[in-house]
Amino acid sequence: MSRSDHRSTRAGELADRLHPAGLLYSTYEARLLDQLDRSRLPEHVAVLADGNRRWARLNAPGQPLVTGYRAGAAKLGHFCAWCDEVGVPVVTLWVLSTDNLQRAETGELDELLRVIEDLVVTLSDNPSWRVQVVGDLNLLPAEMACVLRDACQHSIDHRGMHINVAIAYGGRHELRDAVRELLAEEAGKGTSLTQLSQTLEIDQIAEHLYTRGQPDPDLIIRTSGEQRLSGFLMWQSAHSEFYFCEALWPDFRKVDFLRALRSFSQRERRYGR
């Protein structure tokens, strides 16, 4: 999402808010914000932003599917701003799975990768947000991987909200990479496989995940009516709460986000007890 796209989107949002229906939504948003129990908000919100292609087919017939990807990227920027507004310290956005890399047509994939690259660069330009790419960058074009690494490095000293952008991400890939890294580390210490099999602890695996050092997601949101995780944060989601929304991702509104937070704050989290 370029800066000009961002400005035009903001202008469109302002026009929508000045419309009578927009004023009603604004009033409802304000009421939901006032009703939120700030002491029970999640520390980490993750989102599966699903439905961009379907949105494009429904709302921009005859236009290329990249129209939906651009709309989805713009909404991801707004989503991060909403999370920052209420004080969520960690956000994870899943924008490209390992399965997507295998299924997409070459031309469509190239367009999607450009949208994702622009999104990461735009997010890293926010002076408060620290951006981290999680996934297997070796699966991406080398030039794009370099741009993503530079964007993350650009934001490394930012002390505000932490944004993980899951690109070329798969839950099984993450666990594979964690185990590989763990085995290599232990081998470097001279630990035999027999010793490791007898002493391996859960925390040792967690220390090699892409999100190491971060709190696990308290709340995972998925849009477009799909009610499955599709391998997203398989390890980290053991105790997550889930919120499924029927809206296609570009249609996901701030009121939908606030409803998700309200639902989360009203739940009694038992952690398996």
Side-chain angles (χ1 to χ4, degrees), residues 31-163:
R31 190 171 74 180
L32 285 172
L33 273 171
D34 289 340
Q35 292 174 348
L36 281 182
D37 183 348
R38 300 296 178 121
S39 67
R40 302 195 66 186
L41 292 180
E43 291 187 21
H44 183 171
V45 175
V47 62
L48 293 91
D50 199 15
N52 296 315
R53 288 159 55 99
R54 277 172 280 172
W55 184 91
R57 293 188 180 107
L58 288 170
N59 293 274
Q63 297 297 313
L65 291 176
V66 70
T67 304
Y69 297 141
R70 289 172 181 153
K75 186 55 59 77
L76 286 169
H78 298 317
F79 182 82
C80 290
W82 301 338
C83 288
D84 200 12
E85 179 184 353
V86 300
V88 174
V90 182
V91 176
T92 297
L93 316 172
W94 195 10
V95 300
L96 183 71
S97 72
T98 50
D99 289 339
N100 294 150
L101 287 170
Q102 297 170 2
R103 289 200 304 256
E105 296 291 336
T106 302
E108 179 187 339
L109 180 59
D110 289 343
E111 293 176 327
L112 173 57
L113 292 179
R114 283 193 290 272
V115 171
I116 291 172
E117 182 179 303
D118 289 344
L119 171 67
V120 173
V121 170
T122 300
L123 293 176
S124 69
D125 280 342
N126 185 297
S128 298
W129 298 345
R130 179 179 176 183
V131 178
Q132 176 181 346
V133 171
V134 295
D136 188 353
L137 295 188
N138 293 322
L139 298 178
L140 300 175
E143 185 176 348
M144 177 183 181
C146 183
V147 171
L148 296 179
R149 291 189 182 97
D150 287 346
C152 293
Q153 185 63 34
H154 172 71
S155 70
I156 198 168
D157 293 325
H158 297 175
R159 298 304 176 193
M161 186 171 66
H162 187 110
I163 303 173

Side-chain angles (χ1 to χ4, degrees), residues 1 20-21 28 96 103 110-111 152 182 213 219 221 223-225 230 238:
M1 178 178 56
Y28 184 41
L96 183 71
R103 289 200 304 256
D110 289 343
E111 293 176 327
C152 293
L182 172 62
L219 174 64
I221 299 170
T223 57
S224 82
S230 302

Side-chain angles (χ1 to χ4, degrees), residues 129-225:
W129 298 345
R130 179 179 176 183
V131 178
Q132 176 181 346
V133 171
V134 295
D136 188 353
L137 295 188
N138 293 322
L139 298 178
L140 300 175
E143 185 176 348
M144 177 183 181
C146 183
V147 171
L148 296 179
R149 291 189 182 97
D150 287 346
C152 293
Q153 185 63 34
H154 172 71
S155 70
I156 198 168
D157 293 325
H158 297 175
R159 298 304 176 193
M161 186 171 66
H162 187 110
I163 303 173
N164 299 309
V165 187
I167 306 172
Y169 174 89
R172 291 177 177 176
H173 277 71
E174 179 178 25
L175 293 178
R176 179 206 64 187
D177 290 348
V179 171
R180 283 179 174 176
E181 189 176 290
L182 172 62
L183 291 174
E185 180 181 279
E186 292 299 321
K189 297 176 183 176
T191 307
S192 71
L193 285 177
T194 300
Q195 290 174 312
L196 184 60
S197 69
Q198 295 171 347
T199 60
L200 181 64
E201 297 293 342
I202 290 174
D203 288 346
Q204 288 177 269
I205 297 175
E207 289 167 0
H208 293 84
L209 298 173
Y210 298 148
T211 59
R212 70 197 78 179
Q214 301 178 26
D216 290 338
D218 302 295
L219 174 64
I220 297 179
I221 299 170
R222 182 164 190 168
T223 57
S224 82

